[in-house]
Amino acid sequence: MWTLSGFVDEISADFTEQCRVASDLGLKYVELRSAWGVNILDLDADRRAVMIDTLAAHGLAVSSIGSPIGKILIDEPFAPHLDRMRHAAEVAREFGAPYIRIFSFFLRPGADPAAQREQVIDRMRALTRVAEDADLIVLHENEKEIYGDVPGRCLDIVRSVGSPHLRLAWDPANFVQVGVRPYTDGYAVLRPYVEYVQIKDALSADGTVVTAGNGDGEVAQTIRALSHDGFDGFFSLEPHLGTAFATGGFSGPAHFRQAWRDFTDLLTGEGIEFA
């Protein structure tokens, strides 16, 4: 039984509306990135308390904190960002989320990734130590324009850090947008470390984001292989069908529902049960 979740801030800025639509779709989990237009790490304790009550009222739990940790340039100061990671761990514990999504730092245009490798690995180790101390798992997402945007460097990060508290979040659309065929080029090497899957697809011709199965993200092949391998984790809808920006994306209720339908149709076609 696979478990569906979703970046519900793609539905609406209003948190009650986010939860209402997610619940109506039958979701039992959500991924928290923002509410009322404010990033989850910047909401005060009173607002977070309202969110916790609203989640409970709709029968929803939290699969992951969709944090922006690691979405700074590799040569920007790290100490304040590490403090922000500690806060992210506190927020995850508060919401009962087992995972925090992170990134491996933007590189400046034209920079050689190899020249930045040592600093990236050092920073990723430091972020992972925070997760270890909090008994959480950080999920590295293969965002475009960061160090870990292609399979080889994703593998380098997770192997070099060498902690069970650092795993991978697989995003097929992001792979497509950097010229990678996700299943063909990445599945075999990354599968041992993949613990979370983000559901969006994209066209290789121009990077346009589309719903699962309607792009070049090899989503059907990937879920078929995951099913064969006995994968038992979260699949988080991140449609990006309206707008996309540095800290997230927006789809609206109708597009979010369409993303849910297209992905669940794929699962049904493969005979995969989900909840």
Side-chain angles (χ1 to χ4, degrees), residues 70-112:
K71 276 198 168 184
I72 61 172
L73 287 161
I74 188 59
D75 54 9
E76 289 187 80
F78 182 56
H81 208 61
L82 187 58
D83 286 340
R84 193 160 168 79
M85 176 65 204
R86 295 186 183 102
H87 176 59
E90 293 169 353
V91 170
R93 296 294 295 272
E94 185 176 10
F95 281 95
Y99 298 109
I100 303 171
R101 179 192 65 162
I102 66 171
F103 304 87
S104 55
F105 305 95
F106 289 116
L107 307 183
R108 292 198 180 273
D112 178 9

Side-chain angles (χ1 to χ4, degrees), residues 12-35:
S12 169
D14 180 72
F15 192 65
T16 300
E17 177 72 357
Q18 294 179 22
C19 291
R20 185 188 67 78
V21 172
S23 180
D24 287 349
L25 289 173
L27 296 179
K28 302 300 181 187
Y29 288 86
V30 299
E31 183 153 358
L32 299 181
R33 183 170 53 198
S34 69

Side-chain angles (χ1 to χ4, degrees), residues 249-271:
F250 184 78
S251 299
H255 280 145
F256 193 90
R257 290 187 181 100
Q258 186 62 55
W260 178 88
R261 282 193 295 269
D262 286 0
F263 182 57
T264 55
D265 283 350
L266 274 180
L267 296 181
T268 301
E270 294 293 331

Side-chain angles (χ1 to χ4, degrees), residues 78-205:
F78 182 56
H81 208 61
L82 187 58
D83 286 340
R84 193 160 168 79
M85 176 65 204
R86 295 186 183 102
H87 176 59
E90 293 169 353
V91 170
R93 296 294 295 272
E94 185 176 10
F95 281 95
Y99 298 109
I100 303 171
R101 179 192 65 162
I102 66 171
F103 304 87
S104 55
F105 305 95
F106 289 116
L107 307 183
R108 292 198 180 273
D112 178 9
Q116 311 299 323
R117 178 187 178 277
E118 184 175 354
Q119 189 172 17
V120 168
I121 300 302
D122 285 347
R123 289 185 171 195
M124 295 299 288
R125 285 195 182 108
L127 296 176
T128 302
R129 281 195 294 271
V130 175
E132 291 170 346
D133 291 343
D135 195 23
L136 298 166
I137 293 174
V138 283
L139 298 164
H140 173 266
E141 179 187 334
N142 53 289
E143 176 68 88
K144 53 187 175 291
E145 299 175 358
I146 63 172
Y147 177 83
D149 60 352
V150 296
R153 290 196 290 272
C154 292
L155 184 64
D156 179 33
I157 291 167
V158 72
R159 280 185 171 173
S160 297
V161 173
S163 170
H165 291 265
L166 172 64
R167 307 291 283 176
L168 299 179
W170 176 279
D171 188 313
N174 289 350
F175 275 141
V176 170
Q177 290 172 337
V178 296
V180 170
R181 298 169 299 170
Y183 176 77
T184 301
D185 299 337
Y187 185 85
V189 295
L190 297 183
R191 172 64 188 94
Y193 308 99
V194 172
E195 193 154 330
Y196 201 95
V197 181
Q198 292 175 203
I199 299 302
K200 64 179 187 284
D201 206 342
L203 302 175
S204 58

